[in-house]
Amino acid sequence: MKSPYSLASSNRFAGLVGRSLVAGIGYTFSLLVGGITVSVLGLPLPAVGSQPEPAQFIISSLIAGTLVGLTLGPLGSRLNLSLHERACLWFLLLFVLNGLMNVVEAVLLTTNPVTQLASSLAILAFGQAVLASLLTLLFRPQQTGPGLITRLRETLAQRRRVSWTWRFGLAAVSYLPIYFTFGMIVAPFVLSYYNNPDLGLNLVTPGLGVFLPLEIGRGLLYALTVFPLIAILRDGVWSRAFWIGLTIAVPGSWVPMLQASAWPLVLRMAHGLEITADAFVQGIVLTWLLGTREPADLATEHLRQSSLR
């Protein structure tokens, strides 16, 4: 006979799987609707490499959306914000990390027409809006706390402006060595695919004058995007670093590599592992640079120091 604890754990897991599946179905449907809408409006559909079969696209999108629910859904219980604040935060994280970040890079590193990239971003934006809404409704905290603006103000007030300036600057620059280190590790596995015109990746190799500002800019965008999440989470440093890393990895690596079903498996796995490693190292660096102590902890420390005087 199962213990009450085991039964409760099984029920929680089944609930997580069920809600994640709903998120996956909603995400898949929204991408289909977005693609149909773009086509009806006469806008150019995205065409990067060979296109997957419709059934393949649906299955990969369903798995990707469900995976977002399974991995990031539990994070929703830690976001003790109001309904609309959680929806806005989820959309910011998903849209930037899964859409805007990659499209900005594609504009400068590929020969794909900007109109196609814009259409791709519009379809992703609609899909991420639906997915953000589902995560907000399906995964709720037990109670709400201070609002998002209040949390940000409390966090920013703990350091001087000059401190925040160099911290965000260092966060931007630190992305370069992280990016280069893991990029060089996977280079032997992916360069042959980059040079294969049959894949239709349409890649170009820009000079350092373009590449360095691009990646530093992406590093700053990462920092600005996850900073609200760092300010909201009330866990320890390592727990926050884990959630930040996972939040970057899932939409930035796992979802796009699952959906790039037309790419060779080796290329998808190599880039998936590379970006995942990037994400968790970034999680540690960004939490260390941008994380602050709890206001309650600071008050306790002040009282302790006063008592010692």
Side-chain angles (χ1 to χ4, degrees):
M1 182 177 179
K2 287 187 176 181
S3 67
Y5 178 78
S6 299
L7 187 60
S9 298
S10 299
N11 290 338
R12 283 196 297 270
F13 179 73
L16 173 62
V17 172
R19 286 176 289 168
S20 299
L21 186 59
V22 171
I25 294 172
Y27 176 63
T28 304
F29 182 74
S30 65
L31 291 179
L32 291 173
V33 171
I36 293 171
T37 303
V38 166
S39 179
V40 169
L41 292 176
L43 300 175
L45 289 170
V48 180
S50 57
Q51 296 301 301
E53 296 294 328
Q56 194 176 34
F57 171 80
I58 291 173
I59 292 172
S60 63
S61 298
L62 177 61
I63 294 173
T66 303
L67 183 62
V68 172
L70 287 171
T71 52
L72 297 185
L75 178 60
S77 63
R78 299 170 181 267
L79 306 179
N80 55 342
L81 302 171
S82 65
L83 193 72
H84 74 277
E85 287 179 325
R86 281 185 289 119
C88 290
L89 180 60
W90 276 126
F91 178 73
L92 170 70
L93 294 169
L94 293 174
F95 175 68
V96 174
L97 299 176
N98 181 243
L100 183 61
M101 193 74 69
N102 295 327
V103 170
V104 167
E105 190 175 42
V107 168
L108 297 175
L109 300 186
T110 73
T111 59
N112 295 309
V114 175
T115 51
Q116 287 187 358
L117 295 175
S119 297
S120 176
L121 187 60
I123 295 171
L124 283 172
F126 183 70
Q128 304 304 354
V130 171
L131 184 56
S133 300
L134 290 172
L135 290 175
T136 301
L137 295 172
L138 295 171
F139 300 94
R140 304 188 180 203
Q142 293 184 348
Q143 59 184 8
T144 59
L148 177 59
I149 301 300
T150 300
R151 294 282 182 83
L152 288 173
R153 285 175 176 170
E154 288 177 350
T155 301
L156 291 172
Q158 293 188 37
R159 292 194 177 103
R160 296 177 182 272
R161 185 175 300 178
V162 66
S163 177
W164 285 117
T165 300
W166 73 256
R167 286 172 183 275
F168 274 100
L170 184 56
V173 174
S174 67
Y175 179 65
L176 272 177
I178 297 172
Y179 181 88
F180 274 116
T181 298
F182 292 107
M184 287 188 293
I185 292 174
V186 301
F189 304 97
V190 302
L191 286 180
S192 60
Y193 296 99
Y194 285 178
N195 299 324
N196 184 356
D198 295 334
L199 291 179
L201 298 180
N202 302 324
L203 295 172
V204 296
T205 304
L208 289 179
V210 173
F211 190 79
L212 292 180
L214 169 64
E215 298 308 329
I216 292 175
R218 291 180 76 221
L220 180 60
L221 186 56
Y222 273 119
L224 292 172
T225 301
V226 302
F227 179 64
L229 184 58
I230 293 174
I232 291 164
L233 292 177
R234 293 300 189 245
D235 304 306
V237 173
W238 288 108
S239 178
R240 276 195 287 181
F242 168 78
W243 284 114
I244 298 302
L246 190 66
T247 301
I248 296 174
V250 173
S253 172
W254 303 0
V255 169
M257 290 303 104
L258 277 169
Q259 292 183 289
S261 51
W263 287 17
L265 182 60
V266 173
L267 184 61
R268 294 161 65 189
M269 290 187 64
H271 276 312
L273 292 171
E274 173 205 359
I275 303 170
T276 298
D278 281 357
F280 281 100
V281 174
Q282 275 187 280
I284 295 171
V285 172
L286 293 176
T287 302
W288 174 66
L289 285 172
L290 306 178
T292 59
R293 298 177 64 183
E294 286 290 310
D297 293 339
L298 291 175
T300 301
E301 180 67 16
H302 290 324
L303 288 174
R304 188 184 69 82
Q305 290 178 355
S306 297
S307 65
L308 296 175
R309 292 173 183 170

